[in-house]
Amino acid sequence: MKIYNTLSKKKEEFVPHEQGKVSIYVCGPTVYNLIHIGNARPMIIFDTVRRYMEHKGWQVNYVSNFTDVDDKIIKKAQEEGVESSVISERYIEECKKDMKALNVKTATVHPKATEEIDGMQQMIKTLLENGNAYVAKDGTVYFKTRSFRDYGKLSHKNLDDLRGGNRSLLVSGEDQKEDPLDFVLWKPKKEGEPFWESPWCEGRPGWHIECSVMSKKYLGDEIDIHAGGEDLIFPHHENEIAQSEAANGKPFARYWMHNGFLNIDNKKMSKSAGNFFTVRDIGEKYDLQVLRFFMLSAHYRSPLNFSAELMEAAKNGYERIVTSVSNLNYLLEKAQGDTMRGEEEKLAEEAKGFADKFDAAMEDDFNTADAISAIFELVKFANTNASEESSAAFIKALKEEIVTLSDICGLLVEKAEEMLDEEIEQLIEERQAARKAKNFARADEIRNMLSERGILLEDTREGVKWKRA
Ligand code: AMP
Ligand code: ZN
């Protein structure tokens, strides 16, 4: 498997640290608002990377954080007159709903910055002891970039140019910095802000330290893949490398993956310019599977333009797969024969070639655009070769291949037929009878079956009530 590594600016053979196991850390969102479709891009891309690796039989340890202490969260909390945890908890819950709707798997761990303050203080202490950080007069702790020889290795930046030319690195209020490239590890609280006790001042962490600490805690000092959007390369990821490698004395992440930016109508996404969509906005117009399909239809490193036309094209593409599976299901209901006949064996073998094509595309730095083309070729093949004369075994083989490949992309292509009210009520009656007969296993089975189809049961004093989830 080849992965483009931002560190070497090359596609490299991917070899996990431990055979069969992969550790991935993906920088997650700052939770002060509903997530926008730009935030959804890394979620979908790296979830697909994870799914493909799991499909290969690798065990993936996937960590993605929520940044729940930040200026934007504090500002919003002040506007609403609530604690900042009210804002962050609200948007973590909303973000999780969006992830579910996008079929993004829950991470192995979703750590939150505010729950990892001890670990951050510990790492800051180590950096101070190692001479990689210093405390300014007002209690701010800065990382001393000059003390870390490799600073700039990820972003391939020339440090002297950065120091001399980039005045914007001198943020106001940070005039106690020794060097414009030094960055904050811990800073004093301001009036009305959340804060924690520390040896340096009552205050809160800088942004970068949380990811170094969470990555170490949940995945160890050395990890396989660290990922996020390309805006994070500098300074966030550069600073994470400096902190982690200076504190741990070991190389941090071996492969750095970055997704390109999502633009709207060829312009940078901007709230004030009016070209800005949340995932929720898109969910009102489209099945969010279409958004997922849209994101995967381009290479993850390329910039991606979002427009109404391109979404319509994505809708058509996604529906082509769904329709094909639905046709195969229709044929399957009528078909007979558990064994393939005539030419079918040969055709089924030929169909496996599309899965090989799919794998080859994914192995080449996750070229999901080509992987989806392979699914389309398979769909065309299935549409041409499956008929009312086909055996059930043959149709099943074609359908399973389409569903499996789509599933690796996290695309749900087999729609559960909506259950009719009478069917539901009949099953509820059967469950009541089973309970009366003390056949609780059957009663539970029916409840689970209904729940899988999105029907929720509630046992009330007036009897059983049901609703669609
Ligand atoms: P943030 O909440 O701004 O820290 O962003 C969370 C994640 O979304 C990071 O990995 C960002 O790089 C990514 N991201 C933000 N905006 C975009 C965008 N327009 N296109 C692609 N990725 C983005
Ligand atoms: Zn991060």
Side-chain angles (χ1 to χ4, degrees):
M1 176 188 285
K2 293 240 181 325
I3 292 184
Y4 180 88
N5 191 349
T6 308
L7 204 52
S8 63
K9 286 181 146 180
K10 282 195 197 93
K11 271 191 206 171
E12 290 176 28
E13 187 63 32
F14 177 68
V15 186
H17 196 61
E18 207 179 318
Q19 209 191 347
K21 286 191 179 166
V22 185
S23 48
I24 306 183
Y25 186 97
V26 182
C27 291
T30 306
V31 278
Y32 67 100
N33 220 330
L34 292 174
I35 58 162
H36 57 66
I37 53 176
N39 300 137
R41 192 169 187 200
M43 286 178 183
I44 293 168
I45 295 298
F46 300 114
D47 177 66
T48 306
V49 167
R50 171 193 187 171
R51 283 171 182 270
Y52 182 71
M53 289 181 168
E54 286 176 345
H55 163 73
K56 279 171 80 81
W58 294 351
Q59 189 190 321
V60 182
N61 214 347
Y62 190 100
V63 177
S64 188
N65 65 310
F66 287 117
T67 298
D68 64 346
V69 53
D70 171 89
D71 288 344
K72 293 191 207 101
I73 302 173
I74 295 168
K75 184 164 171 266
K76 181 119 176 182
Q78 285 167 347
E79 281 164 11
E80 288 194 20
V82 294
E83 298 270 312
S84 72
S85 60
V86 172
I87 302 294
S88 55
E89 286 303 318
R90 182 196 302 158
Y91 291 111
I92 286 173
E93 283 320 303
E94 296 303 329
C95 177
K96 286 185 174 168
K97 284 186 206 158
D98 287 335
M99 284 167 64
K100 190 155 192 271
L102 292 165
N103 204 24
V104 169
K105 288 173 87 163
T106 307
T108 320
V109 195
H110 277 294
K112 299 175 199 160
T114 56
E115 291 174 3
E116 308 286 345
I117 302 290
D118 283 352
M120 295 192 224
Q121 294 196 356
Q122 208 49 54
M123 192 176 273
I124 296 172
K125 278 183 202 158
T126 307
L127 291 169
L128 283 163
E129 281 162 20
N130 292 356
N132 297 111
Y134 57 94
V135 188
K137 259 189 257 135
D138 66 353
T140 307
V141 188
Y142 289 106
F143 187 93
K144 195 190 287 188
T145 46
R146 258 170 310 165
S147 72
F148 184 68
R149 227 188 32 192
D150 284 345
Y151 195 81
K153 71 175 169 184
L154 180 73
S155 50
H156 309 279
K157 285 192 187 285
N158 180 325
L159 296 197
D160 290 334
D161 287 353
L162 273 176
R163 281 207 180 91
N166 200 336
R167 294 272 140 219
S168 69
L169 288 166
L170 279 168
V171 178
S172 71
E174 292 192 349
D175 40 6
Q176 296 177 29
K177 271 185 187 183
E178 291 174 3
D179 182 321
L181 285 179
D182 291 352
F183 57 90
V184 173
L185 297 170
W186 188 268
K187 59 184 170 191
K189 68 171 182 189
K190 289 198 197 120
E191 190 56 36
E193 288 186 357
F195 67 92
W196 289 264
E197 298 293 332
S198 86
W200 317 292
C201 61
E202 285 182 338
R204 60 184 170 102
W207 170 35
H208 316 296
I209 192 76
E210 71 181 77
C211 292
S212 284
V213 167
M214 293 170 181
S215 179
K216 178 183 172 76
K217 177 168 171 187
Y218 297 102
L219 299 169
D221 289 353
E222 295 176 77
I223 70 168
D224 291 313
I225 297 175
H226 196 115
E230 67 184 6
D231 59 321
L232 299 185
I233 299 174
F234 186 87
H236 185 52
H237 287 164
E238 196 69 74
N239 292 353
E240 278 188 43
I241 293 178
Q243 295 165 154
S244 295
E245 299 195 351
N248 303 331
K250 289 183 194 153
F252 180 32
R254 287 139 40 82
Y255 301 84
W256 287 85
M257 295 178 76
H258 292 101
N259 64 269
F261 249 46
L262 180 87
N263 299 314
I264 297 185
D265 293 329
N266 290 313
K267 284 184 232 88
K268 195 168 184 281
M269 212 157 63
S270 143
K271 226 173 201 173
S272 50
N275 59 341
F276 177 93
F277 295 112
T278 62
V279 168
R280 246 5 109 77
D281 293 334
I282 302 306
E284 278 172 18
K285 261 189 98 178
Y286 293 96
D287 179 342
L288 284 173
Q289 289 291 298
V290 174
L291 185 62
R292 187 166 180 126
F293 182 95
F294 166 77
M295 299 277 187
L296 295 173
S297 58
H299 194 278
Y300 76 90
R301 285 192 283 121
S302 312
L304 177 58
N305 188 44
F306 181 96
S307 70
E309 280 150 34
L310 291 170
M311 274 301 277
E312 281 306 312
K315 183 167 179 270
N316 289 338
Y318 171 64
E319 281 174 359
R320 210 179 330 151
I321 309 175
V322 173
T323 309
S324 175
V325 172
S326 156
N327 284 342
L328 290 171
N329 273 337
Y330 170 78
L331 291 175
L332 203 52
E333 264 175 39
K334 302 182 158 187
Q336 285 174 358
D338 280 342
T339 48
M340 294 190 204
R341 31 179 199 253
E343 290 282 279
E344 288 181 348
E345 294 262 9
K346 215 174 107 228
L347 287 169
E349 206 47 49
E350 201 181 315
K352 284 191 194 146
F354 300 111
D356 295 340
K357 230 174 168 177
F358 177 94
D359 284 354
M362 294 297 262
E363 299 273 329
D364 181 18
D365 192 30
F366 297 95
N367 191 334
T368 51
D370 283 0
I372 285 181
S373 299
I375 300 182
F376 279 152
E377 285 178 46
L378 172 62
V379 161
K380 194 169 163 207
F381 182 88
N383 293 350
T384 316
N385 291 294
S387 71
E388 297 195 4
E389 278 79 53
S390 306
S391 71
F394 179 61
I395 297 170
K396 227 189 232 162
L398 291 174
K399 182 190 131 182
E400 273 170 16
E401 194 176 333
I402 299 176
V403 172
T404 303
L405 300 186
S406 303
D407 194 50
I408 297 171
C409 297
L411 292 169
L412 301 165
V413 292
E414 194 168 19
K415 300 269 165 183
E417 302 293 332
E418 192 142 286
M419 286 182 93
L420 301 172
D421 288 7
E422 305 94 81
E423 285 179 88
I424 297 166
E425 271 147 26
Q426 206 179 340
L427 279 166
I428 292 175
E429 260 175 49
E430 196 190 327
R431 176 169 169 267
Q432 293 303 82
R435 285 169 75 167
K436 237 188 201 153
K438 299 216 177 332
N439 183 354
F440 296 113
R442 175 67 186 149
D444 283 347
E445 194 178 279
I446 294 174
R447 174 190 274 274
N448 293 340
M449 192 160 79
L450 286 167
S451 138
E452 270 167 27
R453 306 287 295 265
I455 311 296
L456 301 178
L457 302 188
E458 199 190 343
D459 292 306
T460 71
R461 243 183 282 163
E462 295 86 53
V464 182
K465 292 195 173 146
W466 64 269
K467 62 174 185 203
R468 295 181 199 272

